[in-house]
Amino acid sequence: MNIHHVGYLTKDLNKAQDEFLALGFVVEQEKAYDELRKINISFIINGDYRVELIEPVDEASPMYPLLKRYKNTPYHICYEVENLEASIEQLSARGYTVMQAPLEAPCIENHRVAFLINSNLGIIELVEK
Ligand code: NI
């Protein structure tokens, strides 16, 4: 599966983004607010690498506990798939559990995404393209 992005949790998206830009990244998609997940998101790229910066805006965000535990850190890799349901079925057979069922992601052109977790790997995201 091709990689779409690495998801990176930040305490402060603007400050983290400034640091990444100083390291050679450019902004692909400016900061936007995802109402559903209560997070700010931006996308930055460096060559073939795309990083999604994620800033939980308050304690009501489902990502807030992760931020509290891990601070600033990469926490998922997102893979591109053609059929979300088919991929979820295949991965479930490999021991993955669905954390977040398929849902439209307003910050990824409304493509549907899902999150899965595996005890050997942690969290992965799938995006349907
Ligand atoms: Ni992501």
Side-chain angles (χ1 to χ4, degrees):
M1 296 189 286
N2 289 333
I3 292 173
H4 183 267
H5 65 261
V6 172
Y8 204 105
L9 268 181
T10 66
K11 290 184 281 186
D12 184 317
L13 191 151
N14 292 332
K15 287 181 181 171
Q17 185 167 286
D18 281 348
E19 295 300 333
F20 275 111
L21 297 188
L23 296 175
F25 279 81
V26 295
V27 175
E28 182 186 42
Q29 191 176 304
E30 295 287 352
K31 181 167 91 172
Y33 181 57
D34 181 335
E35 172 100 46
L36 200 61
R37 301 173 183 85
K38 301 196 185 320
I39 51 179
N40 286 317
I41 293 185
S42 73
F43 285 94
I44 55 176
I45 51 173
N46 185 342
D48 290 337
Y49 296 92
R50 178 185 290 115
V51 169
E52 171 192 43
L53 296 175
I54 300 144
E55 174 194 46
V57 298
D58 62 39
E59 296 183 15
S61 167
M63 279 75 176
Y64 186 79
L66 285 172
L67 178 68
K68 207 160 181 215
R69 184 163 168 192
Y70 297 115
K71 314 293 182 198
N72 297 312
T73 185
Y75 81 106
H76 71 258
I77 295 177
C78 177
Y79 299 89
E80 298 178 356
V81 300
E82 282 181 15
N83 182 315
L84 211 43
E85 277 72 18
S87 295
I88 288 172
E89 197 177 317
Q90 286 164 13
L91 289 167
S92 294
R94 290 192 55 88
Y96 286 77
T97 305
V98 175
M99 280 176 75
Q100 188 193 88
L103 205 61
E104 284 184 1
C107 297
I108 314 182
E109 297 162 344
N110 282 329
H111 289 295
R112 291 191 311 146
V113 303
F115 285 87
L116 292 85
I117 191 161
N118 175 281
S119 60
N120 296 317
L121 202 68
I123 299 170
I124 70 166
E125 180 180 16
L126 303 176
V127 59
E128 192 171 59
K129 301 222 76 170

